[in-house]
Amino acid sequence: FCGLEYAFEVATNDLGVRDYLDEILADLSGDGHGDPVHYELIALEGDQYLVCCEDDVVVETGRLDRALSVLLWHINAEVVQRSTPRHPVIHAAAAIRDGMTVLLPAAPESGKTTTVAGLVASAGFRYLTDEAVAIEPATLIPRPYSKPLSVDRGSWEVLASLRPPHDGVVTGQWQVPASAIRADALAGAGPIRFVVEPAYNRNADTRLEPVSRAAMLVRLADSTFNFQEAPQRNLGILAKIVKQADSYRLPISDLHSGVELIEKLFTTAYHA
């Protein structure tokens, strides 16, 4: 498998784990950069599970769902860590339609995965990622990172149609490959046309609020992984993004309404 700059492989002696990982990581299949990092998830005697990365033990636990959660967390953390030397990597979701990308930066539990899932499932958008958007410095084009969407329990009702067959494997979270939502859900590259910050609030009036370039630049800087590793590079690239994109905040309590508002931005831009 390969996510951005990180190539990896997983070995296991548990056939159920093998089938689960093959299913949820299918969209990350492909050639990587150099030799893949080797993971093992081993079922031991006495209902114990061991997760290793190369020769290092990551976790030993009596719960399979915890072993899988830690494995997926470690992979994602390494994808980000290996990518930041070459790219600004923004903690955000992203989707593309009509050759244009919407970037969805947000704090945890603010609705970025739910919003991008709604865009892909019901509005014809294609999926870039729900977690980490790596920007090519020369072109400002985001790179796809087709990890499975990590749908937390609070979004299960509104995204009930995406319930996977393995929903009980990891407690409290669904792992949903975008290709399971739609066969053509995976995206190529496209310039960032809109930056929309979802802010879930069950009592909110779902609406788009224009945000100044300066305010969104601060928001993106705060959302960039390892920003201080290359602050001048990162700030310069983020400034170019907010200069070319229209920025909004999206207080959201109703997913359908939020998706419609973002869809309208694209319809208007496409016909302009």
Side-chain angles (χ1 to χ4, degrees):
F1 305 102
C2 185
L4 298 177
E5 305 296 324
Y6 191 55
F8 63 95
E9 61 185 9
V10 186
T12 181
N13 63 344
D14 186 305
L15 295 181
V17 169
R18 181 201 65 183
D19 293 344
Y20 173 73
L21 293 175
D22 278 346
E23 179 180 347
I24 70 167
L25 298 178
D27 293 344
L28 292 175
S29 296
D31 295 330
H33 301 268
D35 294 331
V37 173
H38 182 74
Y39 287 90
E40 293 183 348
L41 194 160
I42 305 301
L44 305 172
E45 293 182 359
D47 293 326
Q48 289 291 114
Y49 298 90
L50 185 68
V51 176
C52 298
C53 178
E54 299 292 354
D55 296 324
D56 296 326
V57 174
V58 179
V59 69
E60 183 174 355
T61 176
R63 291 173 46 194
L64 176 58
D65 66 334
R66 172 161 169 73
L68 287 165
S69 294
V70 171
L71 171 67
L72 296 174
W73 165 82
H74 195 281
I75 290 169
N76 190 64
E78 288 298 307
V79 168
V80 171
Q81 190 65 31
R82 302 292 182 95
S83 300
T84 53
R86 293 186 57 184
H87 310 88
V89 181
I90 303 168
H91 188 206
I96 187 169
R97 178 173 147 169
D98 301 327
M100 301 178 289
T101 297
V102 57
L103 184 68
L104 302 163
E109 312 303 325
S110 295
K112 62 183 184 297
T113 294
T114 306
T115 303
V116 79
L119 292 172
V120 174
S122 62
F125 284 73
R126 301 178 77 185
Y127 178 70
L128 283 172
T129 188
D130 76 335
E131 176 64 21
V133 179
I135 307 296
E136 286 288 355
T139 64
L140 307 183
I141 302 294
R143 291 183 56 189
Y145 171 31
S146 305
K147 66 177 289 294
L149 289 88
S150 300
V151 182
D152 291 330
R153 187 187 301 275
S155 297
W156 289 357
E157 183 176 356
V158 72
L159 295 175
S161 64
L162 305 188
R163 184 179 187 130
H166 54 258
D167 69 297
V169 175
V170 175
T171 302
Q173 191 175 77
W174 296 343
Q175 296 291 332
V176 182
S179 59
I181 301 174
R182 285 201 340 262
D184 65 343
L186 297 184
I192 297 171
R193 180 64 179 82
F194 300 102
V195 182
V196 178
E197 179 188 359
Y200 174 74
N201 182 332
R202 63 185 299 177
N203 299 314
D205 174 20
T206 302
R207 63 194 185 279
L208 282 172
E209 301 173 343
V211 174
S212 70
R213 290 175 177 173
M216 187 54 74
L217 178 59
V218 171
R219 183 71 189 89
L220 291 180
D222 287 343
S223 300
T224 298
F225 293 101
N226 302 328
F227 181 86
Q228 292 300 332
E229 286 186 359
Q232 186 173 358
R233 178 204 68 180
N234 291 338
L235 191 62
I237 290 171
L238 298 178
K240 292 177 182 178
I241 289 173
V242 298
K243 185 176 180 180
Q244 75 178 23
D246 295 334
S247 297
Y248 299 89
R249 188 171 182 271
L250 177 65
I252 182 170
S253 60
D254 177 67
L255 179 61
H256 178 73
S257 299
V259 166
E260 282 191 337
L261 288 170
I262 296 174
E263 187 177 14
K264 189 176 294 185
L265 288 177
F266 277 74
T267 301
T268 302
Y270 181 76
H271 291 292

